[in-house]
Amino acid sequence: MSHNTFGHLFRVTTWGESHGPALGCVVDGCPPGIVFTEAEIQHWMDRRKPGQSRFVTQRQEADQVRVLSGVLARDDGALITTGTPVSMLIENTDQRSKDYSEIARRYRPGHADYAYDRKYGLRDYRGGGRSSARETAARVAAGGLARKVLPQVRIRGALVQIGKKTIDRNNWNWDCVDQNPFFCPDPKMTSEWEAYLDGIRKQGSSVGAVIEVVADGVPAGLGAPIYGKLDQDIAANLMSINAVKGVEIGNGFAAAEISGEQNADEMRIGDDGRPVFLSNNSGGIAGGISTGQQIVARFAVKPTSSILTERKSIDADGNEVDIRTKGRHDPCVGIRAVPIGEAMLACTLADHYLRHRGQTGRAGFEE
Amino acid sequence: MSHNTFGHLFRVTTWGESHGPALGCVVDGCPPGIVFTEAEIQHWMDRRKPGQSRFVTQRQEADQVRVLSGVLARDDGALITTGTPVSMLIENTDQRSKDYSEIARRYRPGHADYAYDRKYGLRDYRGGGRSSARETAARVAAGGLARKVLPQVRIRGALVQIGKKTIDRNNWNWDCVDQNPFFCPDPKMTSEWEAYLDGIRKQGSSVGAVIEVVADGVPAGLGAPIYGKLDQDIAANLMSINAVKGVEIGNGFAAAEISGEQNADEMRIGDDGRPVFLSNNSGGIAGGISTGQQIVARFAVKPTSSILTERKSIDADGNEVDIRTKGRHDPCVGIRAVPIGEAMLACTLADHYLRHRGQTGRAGFEE
Amino acid sequence: MSHNTFGHLFRVTTWGESHGPALGCVVDGCPPGIVFTEAEIQHWMDRRKPGQSRFVTQRQEADQVRVLSGVLARDDGALITTGTPVSMLIENTDQRSKDYSEIARRYRPGHADYAYDRKYGLRDYRGGGRSSARETAARVAAGGLARKVLPQVRIRGALVQIGKKTIDRNNWNWDCVDQNPFFCPDPKMTSEWEAYLDGIRKQGSSVGAVIEVVADGVPAGLGAPIYGKLDQDIAANLMSINAVKGVEIGNGFAAAEISGEQNADEMRIGDDGRPVFLSNNSGGIAGGISTGQQIVARFAVKPTSSILTERKSIDADGNEVDIRTKGRHDPCVGIRAVPIGEAMLACTLADHYLRHRGQTGRAGFEE
Amino acid sequence: MSHNTFGHLFRVTTWGESHGPALGCVVDGCPPGIVFTEAEIQHWMDRRKPGQSRFVTQRQEADQVRVLSGVLARDDGALITTGTPVSMLIENTDQRSKDYSEIARRYRPGHADYAYDRKYGLRDYRGGGRSSARETAARVAAGGLARKVLPQVRIRGALVQIGKKTIDRNNWNWDCVDQNPFFCPDPKMTSEWEAYLDGIRKQGSSVGAVIEVVADGVPAGLGAPIYGKLDQDIAANLMSINAVKGVEIGNGFAAAEISGEQNADEMRIGDDGRPVFLSNNSGGIAGGISTGQQIVARFAVKPTSSILTERKSIDADGNEVDIRTKGRHDPCVGIRAVPIGEAMLACTLADHYLRHRGQTGRAGFEE
């Protein structure tokens, strides 16, 4: 039973709290012979790193990954996986635990404080403890390794909605995504979001968002029927990200509104003699199994619960209190959820690929 | 790794195809001492049963459950669980496999036919085989037992949207749900849906739907952080239902549109001295852990892919073909998804309750 | 968490009690395209079947297997697996529950009665309920299917010790095994065991045994380090058989007595240019991974606890009682443990083979 | 699927190689509110630590444990678990990788080198990499925490056999165990083992051993039928220790030799009105469930494969070679297996206790 692990053949276990000395992950099941560098993992870490614009938390963390096991170093410094668990560690350096002392016994509205106390009878209140988004740094490290397991697959994400402001999909431009602080794919929306979020930020308020993650190059046949469905695992793994309240695949909720004729993805034989789909309402998954089309998933992130406006709450002693949450917070946690969503999709696909292909991809009886 | 099993301490394994001799489930981990009757399970089966109105498939199945193991019979005929696996079997009686012969090698658009063939190299084409909604009969049987594990919890579901026609939540009336063939909670919507679906049915078309399932009486503290979140498991288990393309908890996707002030569920001390929440945007789950509020989840079901309108496709030999899917189909599979969604929620909660409380709920060292 | 399931990619879930209407198993993860017949499964069932000689229980069960799902029937009647769960059912026909009424509240010494009551607060006392060796019929059915997954592997078992009477390994003759009621590989031991067990049987006593199971043709590379070791899974799965109290691999406990020089399996290059081992002290497994040699495991079965000699015990009300266990029992349950041990080894190897090779053995990106 | 994890509710994942920068474990599922100190964990580490006598490897490792997550520090320095994963890290400080360069492509007889290469296509040859006994340091750290979960249970171990020299159980004295370098419970055997092992050591040879581990204070009712048996998990977890080739519970293999009358553990009502067993042939487990008696398990460890005597082998290029394994090795790895066996038993019992009692031991509906 996995409280802190996800995946079956590509298994990721994360550990660590917001204000502990370090956090990290253990990736169990990574196939042998994968070549990578710490810098390649760091590339993905840096996309998620806090403090990179005024629209995200001002906590300063280098988020430097150290690989502690599961690899051999080549002469050129590259690492080769050996098939044994890859342990990766990230030190926490910029904790400010005193910011939190006044909420040690108070339940911040919208946060998990009350639920944790009811479950465990105690909690690490410093920066949200285990429920902090800092835990997701470990996911991104694991996702970096997962991408290496699937070199043929390209996994990308973008922010498609902030508050009620939704991009125009006709303007979608992947090149735009890395050229603004929002992972926004619509060049015409960037400045609008900037002004909007500046207003939110100055009010000490926050707002929700919707993220889309896609994978190109996924072969047909990944997934399994009924309770091992690829879309089910994508849903679970995206829903495990902090603050996520909804997940959809392909058409998603919009599928409820249309007819069977509109929704069916028709097929033809392409010029190269291979099957082609004429649309992708399914988001690349039918009956829980990949069809070979682009995998498309979206998830909704609620507004950051840590806000400066006073809200009604109670404390652990049963007193009514009013709370304003200080500290350094993201006005829209959805922004940094983009690289996290990509990482979760990468890990999910690596896991299903290994289920399909086996632990090592090496021959058995055939040899 | 669970292709056909879900849950950890309350584990449900289902088996069976649409046109095999029978289907069923094995519930492993049901606590000892639970008293129930086959009639009580049958009550839930009958709600999902096909052939009950003109708006669902005309296949006639009694869906009679037989309990084959895991119980002792009391003198009054009631069954008592012993803590060993409860095997339940449902015979298939109204298969018409010849209806399907012409799609044995053709891929029905919107169906999993192509994906299955790509994965397995062969498939049971009769009635969709394992990917048929008949599999869900076994889920409903398991859900009936799960409800008995949680007598304090009330689990209910309703259809809230068919196509673009959404109920008015101000009219919500639980009594209405069992008084119409749609599980519709809005008395003013029933006749509108009736006319609308009659039109869809006569065209040989289909349409999608949205279902809401709720649980009252769930104690605070169920769930676990990070990758054992209650909402994550609800999302996975609802997404595992045939044709589901989206899942949301509480405010869901609407949470993306609002501010942190609007979204935070404020708290006060109630007249009875106990904590009360002033709203339930969270859907009863914070940080993956239940808060003691009503659990609220919704899921979107795509339109039935089996339609009479001709659609473009290919066959297993690489020929382009046009397909109209005959057979007996639901014009809106979302209708019968209501009792299935309830069953999945019941099983998920029973599982998390047992994780919280242990296998047997009997004392260890304290004795 | 698996109370009633074993295996990860080839997953076997069993259900059923000694005196219920039926028992069975669900095999989840069986690859698609495996061709088999019910008669082939029945062959293995018949080896384990009760009532075949005076040395085993006189309960008469046909142990006829019905395959209820997961297969397509070919025109010649052979079944082809589709990759979906294979449900197999065996009816109980010769229960005599009244034999047991007097032990409903009494704890038979050496049995699990007391432990079950302490765990569950109630138990199915009829024929041992779930703890009866009848459960193993389902394992043998699953094992029959597992053998089909591994056509290159030959799995055999033999009884090597009854009480203090151990076979002479120099006389080992596999042909002998099926020509006596003991699965004895030593033609010179058969009559001695016959006389010895006749004595035990007439006294209403019982005796323990040691079984050896071997697998030839297992490729090198199955297993995984540390907590996914092949020998660890063999140990767990053999230990899960009723009445087993010890398991060993290769030299087993005898390895404690010898030096590193004696124990090391030296290697050379064979005439065919391939590596050969000069001995097999390891039992074909090093570091948890198969070496390509014969896999060798042994397990010890305690004497049947149901004996006619009066033994001291207590009842559920705290009274001291003396118990003689009537009913139809095996004087040496170890005999019928031979086909069960084979089945468990077959399932374990099929599971590890699929971990190695993947769910379907079909190509992913290579296509 | 767990390559590097064991346990279900008390889950231990280990990582690290012999010659990497560090090794460690993540304990997921440790209940909240457990109070412990790093020094208490260190106490168990020190018992397993290398270099403590001339009878074990001369590698010098402080084996200092650092707790990186899952705890809050009390003012007195004690740590309190929060219910989130406890990550523990141990640095490697005394690697001498050059000792191993000459076996980089040679397969040491009795080692897992050949099997690893066949499985993974490459391996970390330095000090055995992941298959080194250094991995067990992480198990002992986890075991130290497991003991804290079960304060009522006392877990102890002893070495009962080295080579053919077995202790006299009539001399058993627990106080003796910590007063000699062998964990020997028989004061009369100590000097004999000392002379014997000095001889083995001087020859550059090695020898096997048998370890017994016991647990007192385990309540009745832990374990689960069929494939979740307590003895099955003990067997698996002990068999997962490096070099273990056999496991037995209670009478173990000796149960094969005796009659049902001799083997049955009779019961009576004790002077305190509670059930008492008159013997413990079962080793405290019946039908997979604890009886409330002392849990007794033994395991056999093969002789260290690293020996100075030249043995025949091959290399990765298919050449025949003769190998003497230099480096610093234990003449009898069985000695240090005592604290490791204790740790595995502690973790197994903690896991089953939590299955029985639930994650947190806190009330659900009752509150």
Side-chain angles (χ1 to χ4, degrees):
Chain A
M1 204 163 77
S2 315
H3 308 136
N4 291 284
T5 299
F6 67 98
H8 286 276
L9 287 199
F10 187 88
R11 290 173 69 74
V12 179
T13 300
T14 73
W15 55 270
E17 281 81 36
S18 180
H19 288 219
L23 54 88
C25 66
V26 182
V27 180
D28 184 7
C30 187
I34 306 280
V35 178
F36 72 105
T37 65
E38 286 189 348
E40 286 175 311
I41 303 292
Q42 198 63 41
H43 168 75
W44 306 110
M45 300 301 291
D46 290 348
R47 291 183 82 218
R48 194 213 68 100
K49 206 166 61 173
Q52 302 194 107
S53 82
R54 66 185 184 274
F55 306 108
V56 297
T57 173
Q58 293 308 299
R59 180 168 171 170
Q60 297 294 329
E61 291 286 357
D63 277 358
Q64 192 75 36
V65 177
R66 285 176 57 206
V67 178
L68 296 181
S69 68
V71 295
L72 283 171
R74 269 200 329 210
D75 288 345
D76 65 358
L79 304 174
I80 311 173
T81 59
T82 59
T84 61
V86 179
S87 175
M88 296 192 275
L89 184 140
I90 299 143
E91 287 185 38
N92 285 324
T93 57
D94 187 29
Q95 309 99 313
R96 296 188 196 166
S97 300
K98 67 178 158 37
D99 284 357
Y100 294 91
S101 57
E102 73 178 37
I103 54 101
R105 293 186 62 77
R106 297 166 142 222
Y107 300 134
R108 293 167 298 166
H111 275 282
D113 300 348
Y114 174 75
Y116 264 66
D117 255 19
R118 289 297 293 277
K119 182 173 188 71
Y120 294 116
L122 83 172
R123 78 194 137 90
D124 183 350
Y125 60 86
R126 300 164 305 163
R130 180 73 177 147
S131 67
S132 163
R134 271 211 63 66
E135 182 271 341
T136 60
R139 305 182 189 219
V140 173
L145 193 53
R147 289 174 191 261
K148 285 287 175 177
V149 175
L150 297 168
Q152 305 88 337
V153 174
R154 184 171 193 185
I155 293 159
R156 293 180 286 185
L159 201 66
V160 297
Q161 182 183 337
I162 293 184
K164 292 186 177 164
K165 295 180 186 299
T166 304
I167 62 150
D168 181 343
R169 302 185 78 88
N170 296 317
N171 298 337
W172 195 294
N173 178 349
W174 279 113
D175 290 338
C176 177
V177 167
D178 284 329
Q179 293 165 3
N180 64 74
F182 311 108
F183 303 106
C184 176
D186 176 356
K188 296 192 176 156
M189 182 54 84
T190 312
S191 56
E192 194 173 332
W193 280 0
E194 190 166 335
Y196 177 58
L197 267 192
D198 268 332
I200 297 281
R201 187 171 58 84
K202 285 170 187 165
Q203 294 161 39
S205 183
S206 65
V207 72
V210 175
I211 294 94
E212 180 165 317
V213 286
V214 304
D216 292 279
V218 175
L222 302 196
I226 315 301
Y227 309 118
K229 290 179 172 170
L230 180 57
D231 37 358
Q232 174 185 10
D233 280 353
I234 291 172
N237 291 342
L238 293 178
M239 193 64 98
S240 78
I241 301 172
N242 315 50
V244 173
K245 299 302 284 184
V247 178
E248 57 184 13
I249 307 290
N251 272 359
F253 277 86
E257 301 185 1
I258 58 176
S259 72
E261 290 78 18
Q262 293 166 307
N263 192 63
D265 294 316
E266 295 184 294
M267 299 184 78
R268 277 291 174 251
I269 300 295
D271 294 337
D272 60 355
R274 297 166 69 91
V276 287
F277 287 92
L278 307 184
S279 58
N280 188 16
N281 293 303
S282 74
I285 304 174
I289 299 172
S290 64
T291 61
Q293 293 178 277
Q294 185 182 60
I295 304 285
V296 182
R298 272 178 305 282
F299 58 102
V301 175
K302 70 179 182 182
T304 316
S305 297
S306 296
I307 48 176
L308 287 175
T309 307
E310 206 164 67
R311 297 277 91 187
K312 295 173 190 158
S313 190
I314 62 170
D315 67 17
D317 303 310
N319 303 306
E320 298 188 336
V321 296
D322 294 326
I323 299 190
R324 298 198 309 143
T325 307
K326 298 168 201 162
R328 298 159 294 174
H329 304 291
D330 294 272
C332 176
V333 282
I335 298 173
R336 292 203 293 140
V338 173
I340 303 165
E342 292 174 358
M344 296 310 281
L345 183 57
C347 290
T348 311
L349 290 170
D351 186 39
H352 274 274
Y353 174 58
L354 296 182
R355 296 185 198 188
H356 186 79
R357 188 213 63 164
Q359 281 174 346
T360 58
R362 292 169 63 82
F365 292 109
E366 299 74 11
E367 57 195 327
Chain B
M1 203 164 76
S2 315
H3 311 136
N4 291 283
T5 299
F6 67 99
H8 286 275
L9 287 199
F10 188 87
R11 290 174 67 76
V12 179
T13 301
T14 74
W15 56 269
E17 281 81 35
S18 180
H19 287 222
L23 55 89
C25 65
V26 181
V27 181
D28 184 7
C30 188
I34 305 281
V35 178
F36 72 104
T37 65
E38 287 189 347
E40 287 175 312
I41 303 292
Q42 198 63 44
H43 168 75
W44 305 111
M45 300 301 292
D46 290 349
R47 292 183 81 218
R48 192 212 69 99
K49 206 166 62 173
Q52 301 194 107
S53 82
R54 67 183 184 276
F55 305 108
V56 297
T57 173
Q58 294 308 299
R59 181 167 170 169
Q60 297 293 330
E61 291 287 355
D63 276 358
Q64 193 76 36
V65 176
R66 287 174 58 206
V67 177
L68 296 181
S69 69
V71 295
L72 284 170
R74 273 202 324 211
D75 290 344
D76 65 358
L79 304 174
I80 311 173
T81 59
T82 59
T84 62
V86 178
S87 175
M88 296 192 275
L89 184 140
I90 300 142
E91 287 184 38
N92 285 325
T93 58
D94 187 27
Q95 309 99 310
R96 296 190 195 162
S97 302
K98 66 177 159 35
D99 284 356
Y100 294 91
S101 56
E102 73 177 37
I103 52 102
R105 294 185 62 76
R106 299 167 140 222
Y107 300 134
R108 294 167 298 165
H111 276 283
D113 300 348
Y114 174 75
Y116 264 66
D117 255 19
R118 289 297 293 274
K119 182 175 188 69
Y120 294 117
L122 81 174
R123 77 194 140 90
D124 184 351
Y125 61 87
R126 301 163 304 160
R130 180 73 178 146
S131 67
S132 164
R134 272 212 62 65
E135 182 271 342
T136 61
R139 304 181 189 221
V140 173
L145 193 53
R147 289 173 191 263
K148 285 289 176 176
V149 174
L150 298 168
Q152 305 89 335
V153 174
R154 184 171 194 185
I155 292 160
R156 293 180 286 188
L159 201 66
V160 297
Q161 182 183 336
I162 293 183
K164 291 184 176 164
K165 295 180 185 297
T166 304
I167 63 151
D168 180 344
R169 301 185 77 89
N170 295 317
N171 297 337
W172 195 293
N173 179 349
W174 279 113
D175 291 338
C176 177
V177 167
D178 285 328
Q179 293 165 2
N180 65 75
F182 312 108
F183 303 106
C184 176
D186 175 356
K188 297 192 175 157
M189 182 53 85
T190 313
S191 56
E192 194 174 331
W193 280 0
E194 190 167 332
Y196 176 58
L197 266 191
D198 269 332
I200 297 282
R201 186 172 58 82
K202 284 170 187 164
Q203 296 162 38
S205 182
S206 65
V207 72
V210 176
I211 294 94
E212 180 165 317
V213 287
V214 304
D216 292 280
V218 175
L222 302 195
I226 314 301
Y227 310 118
K229 289 180 172 170
L230 180 56
D231 37 358
Q232 174 184 11
D233 280 353
I234 290 172
N237 291 341
L238 294 178
M239 192 64 97
S240 78
I241 300 172
N242 317 46
V244 173
K245 299 303 282 186
V247 178
E248 57 183 14
I249 307 291
N251 273 358
F253 276 86
E257 302 185 358
I258 57 177
S259 72
E261 290 78 19
Q262 293 167 309
N263 191 63
D265 295 314
E266 295 183 295
M267 299 184 78
R268 277 292 174 250
I269 300 296
D271 294 339
D272 61 356
R274 297 167 68 91
V276 288
F277 286 92
L278 307 184
S279 58
N280 188 15
N281 294 304
S282 75
I285 303 174
I289 300 171
S290 64
T291 62
Q293 294 178 277
Q294 186 183 59
I295 304 285
V296 182
R298 273 178 304 282
F299 57 102
V301 174
K302 70 178 184 182
T304 316
S305 297
S306 296
I307 48 176
L308 287 176
T309 307
E310 207 163 68
R311 296 277 92 185
K312 295 173 189 157
S313 190
I314 62 171
D315 68 17
D317 303 311
N319 303 307
E320 297 189 338
V321 295
D322 294 326
I323 298 191
R324 298 197 310 141
T325 308
K326 296 169 201 162
R328 299 159 295 173
H329 304 291
D330 294 273
C332 175
V333 282
I335 297 173
R336 293 203 293 141
V338 173
I340 302 164
E342 291 173 0
M344 295 311 280
L345 182 57
C347 290
T348 310
L349 290 170
D351 185 40
H352 274 273
Y353 175 57
L354 296 183
R355 295 185 199 186
H356 186 80
R357 190 213 63 165
Q359 280 175 345
T360 59
R362 293 170 63 82
F365 293 109
E366 299 75 11
E367 57 194 330
Chain C
M1 204 165 76
S2 315
H3 309 137
N4 291 284
T5 299
F6 68 98
H8 286 276
L9 287 200
F10 187 87
R11 290 173 67 76
V12 179
T13 300
T14 73
W15 56 269
E17 281 81 34
S18 180
H19 287 219
L23 55 88
C25 65
V26 181
V27 179
D28 184 7
C30 188
I34 305 280
V35 179
F36 72 104
T37 65
E38 287 190 347
E40 286 175 311
I41 304 291
Q42 199 62 42
H43 168 75
W44 305 110
M45 301 300 293
D46 290 348
R47 292 183 81 219
R48 193 214 68 101
K49 206 166 62 173
Q52 302 194 106
S53 82
R54 67 184 183 277
F55 305 108
V56 297
T57 174
Q58 294 307 301
R59 182 168 171 167
Q60 297 294 331
E61 291 286 358
D63 277 358
Q64 193 75 38
V65 176
R66 286 175 57 205
V67 177
L68 296 181
S69 70
V71 295
L72 284 170
R74 271 200 328 210
D75 289 346
D76 66 357
L79 304 174
I80 311 172
T81 59
T82 59
T84 62
V86 179
S87 176
M88 296 192 275
L89 184 140
I90 300 143
E91 287 185 39
N92 285 325
T93 57
D94 187 28
Q95 308 100 311
R96 296 190 195 163
S97 300
K98 67 176 157 38
D99 284 356
Y100 294 91
S101 56
E102 73 177 38
I103 52 101
R105 293 186 62 75
R106 299 167 142 222
Y107 300 134
R108 294 167 298 166
H111 276 283
D113 299 349
Y114 173 75
Y116 264 67
D117 255 20
R118 289 297 292 276
K119 181 173 188 74
Y120 293 116
L122 82 173
R123 78 193 139 91
D124 184 349
Y125 60 87
R126 302 164 303 164
R130 180 71 178 149
S131 66
S132 163
R134 271 209 67 63
E135 182 270 341
T136 60
R139 303 181 189 219
V140 173
L145 193 52
R147 289 174 192 262
K148 285 288 176 177
V149 174
L150 297 169
Q152 304 89 336
V153 173
R154 183 170 194 186
I155 292 159
R156 292 180 287 185
L159 201 65
V160 297
Q161 181 183 338
I162 293 183
K164 291 185 177 163
K165 295 181 186 297
T166 303
I167 63 150
D168 180 346
R169 301 185 78 89
N170 295 317
N171 298 336
W172 194 293
N173 179 349
W174 279 113
D175 291 337
C176 177
V177 166
D178 284 329
Q179 293 165 4
N180 65 75
F182 311 108
F183 303 106
C184 176
D186 175 357
K188 298 195 176 152
M189 182 54 84
T190 313
S191 57
E192 194 174 332
W193 279 0
E194 190 166 333
Y196 177 60
L197 266 192
D198 269 332
I200 298 282
R201 186 171 58 83
K202 283 170 188 165
Q203 294 162 40
S205 182
S206 65
V207 72
V210 176
I211 294 93
E212 181 166 316
V213 287
V214 304
D216 292 280
V218 175
L222 302 195
I226 314 301
Y227 310 118
K229 289 179 173 170
L230 181 56
D231 37 358
Q232 174 185 10
D233 280 353
I234 292 172
N237 291 342
L238 293 178
M239 193 66 97
S240 78
I241 300 172
N242 315 49
V244 173
K245 299 302 282 186
V247 178
E248 56 183 15
I249 306 291
N251 273 358
F253 276 86
E257 302 185 359
I258 58 177
S259 72
E261 291 78 19
Q262 293 167 307
N263 192 62
D265 294 315
E266 295 184 292
M267 300 185 77
R268 278 292 174 249
I269 300 295
D271 294 338
D272 60 355
R274 297 166 70 90
V276 287
F277 286 91
L278 307 185
S279 58
N280 188 16
N281 293 303
S282 74
I285 304 173
I289 300 172
S290 64
T291 61
Q293 293 178 278
Q294 186 183 56
I295 305 284
V296 182
R298 274 177 303 282
F299 58 102
V301 175
K302 70 177 183 182
T304 316
S305 297
S306 296
I307 48 176
L308 287 175
T309 307
E310 207 163 68
R311 296 276 93 187
K312 296 173 189 158
S313 190
I314 64 171
D315 67 17
D317 303 310
N319 302 307
E320 297 189 337
V321 295
D322 294 326
I323 298 190
R324 298 198 310 142
T325 307
K326 296 169 203 163
R328 299 159 294 175
H329 304 292
D330 294 273
C332 175
V333 282
I335 297 172
R336 293 204 292 141
V338 173
I340 303 165
E342 291 173 359
M344 296 309 280
L345 182 57
C347 290
T348 310
L349 290 170
D351 185 39
H352 275 273
Y353 175 58
L354 296 182
R355 294 186 200 185
H356 186 81
R357 190 212 62 166
Q359 282 176 344
T360 58
R362 292 169 64 81
F365 294 110
E366 299 74 11
E367 57 195 332
Chain D
M1 205 165 75
S2 315
H3 309 136
N4 291 284
T5 298
F6 67 98
H8 286 276
L9 287 199
F10 187 88
R11 291 173 67 76
V12 179
T13 301
T14 73
W15 56 270
E17 281 80 35
S18 180
H19 287 217
L23 55 89
C25 65
V26 181
V27 180
D28 184 8
C30 187
I34 305 280
V35 178
F36 72 104
T37 65
E38 287 189 348
E40 286 175 311
I41 304 292
Q42 198 63 42
H43 168 75
W44 305 110
M45 300 301 292
D46 290 349
R47 292 183 82 218
R48 193 213 68 101
K49 206 165 65 173
Q52 301 194 104
S53 81
R54 67 182 183 275
F55 305 108
V56 297
T57 173
Q58 293 308 300
R59 180 167 170 170
Q60 297 294 331
E61 291 285 355
D63 277 358
Q64 193 75 37
V65 176
R66 287 174 58 206
V67 177
L68 296 182
S69 69
V71 295
L72 284 171
R74 271 198 330 209
D75 289 345
D76 65 359
L79 304 174
I80 311 173
T81 60
T82 59
T84 61
V86 179
S87 175
M88 295 192 274
L89 183 140
I90 299 143
E91 287 185 38
N92 285 325
T93 58
D94 187 28
Q95 309 99 310
R96 296 191 195 160
S97 301
K98 66 178 158 35
D99 284 356
Y100 293 92
S101 56
E102 73 177 39
I103 53 101
R105 294 186 61 76
R106 298 167 142 222
Y107 301 133
R108 294 167 298 166
H111 276 283
D113 300 347
Y114 174 75
Y116 264 66
D117 254 19
R118 289 297 294 274
K119 182 174 187 72
Y120 294 116
L122 82 173
R123 78 193 139 91
D124 183 350
Y125 61 85
R126 301 164 304 162
R130 181 72 178 149
S131 67
S132 163
R134 270 210 67 63
E135 180 272 341
T136 61
R139 304 181 189 219
V140 173
L145 193 53
R147 289 174 192 261
K148 285 288 175 176
V149 174
L150 298 169
Q152 305 89 336
V153 174
R154 184 169 192 187
I155 292 160
R156 291 180 288 186
L159 200 66
V160 298
Q161 182 184 335
I162 293 183
K164 291 185 177 162
K165 294 178 187 299
T166 305
I167 62 151
D168 181 344
R169 302 184 78 87
N170 295 317
N171 298 336
W172 194 293
N173 179 350
W174 280 113
D175 291 337
C176 177
V177 167
D178 284 329
Q179 293 165 3
N180 65 74
F182 310 108
F183 302 106
C184 175
D186 175 356
K188 296 192 178 158
M189 183 54 85
T190 313
S191 56
E192 195 174 330
W193 280 0
E194 191 167 331
Y196 176 59
L197 267 191
D198 268 332
I200 297 282
R201 186 172 57 84
K202 284 170 187 165
Q203 294 162 39
S205 182
S206 66
V207 73
V210 175
I211 294 94
E212 180 165 318
V213 286
V214 304
D216 292 278
V218 175
L222 302 195
I226 313 302
Y227 310 118
K229 290 180 173 170
L230 180 56
D231 36 358
Q232 174 185 9
D233 281 353
I234 292 172
N237 291 342
L238 293 179
M239 193 66 98
S240 77
I241 300 172
N242 316 49
V244 173
K245 299 302 284 186
V247 178
E248 57 183 14
I249 306 291
N251 273 358
F253 276 86
E257 301 185 0
I258 57 177
S259 72
E261 290 78 19
Q262 293 167 306
N263 191 63
D265 295 315
E266 295 184 293
M267 298 183 79
R268 277 294 175 247
I269 301 295
D271 294 339
D272 60 356
R274 297 167 69 92
V276 288
F277 286 92
L278 307 184
S279 58
N280 188 17
N281 293 305
S282 75
I285 304 173
I289 300 171
S290 64
T291 61
Q293 294 178 275
Q294 185 182 60
I295 305 284
V296 183
R298 271 178 305 282
F299 57 103
V301 174
K302 70 177 184 184
T304 315
S305 297
S306 296
I307 48 175
L308 286 175
T309 307
E310 207 164 64
R311 297 276 91 187
K312 296 174 189 157
S313 190
I314 62 170
D315 67 16
D317 303 310
N319 302 307
E320 298 190 338
V321 295
D322 294 324
I323 298 190
R324 299 197 309 141
T325 307
K326 297 170 202 162
R328 298 159 295 174
H329 304 291
D330 294 272
C332 175
V333 282
I335 297 173
R336 294 203 291 140
V338 173
I340 303 165
E342 292 173 0
M344 295 310 281
L345 183 57
C347 290
T348 310
L349 290 170
D351 185 40
H352 275 274
Y353 175 58
L354 295 182
R355 296 187 198 184
H356 186 79
R357 191 212 62 165
Q359 280 175 346
T360 59
R362 293 170 62 82
F365 294 110
E366 300 74 10
E367 57 195 330

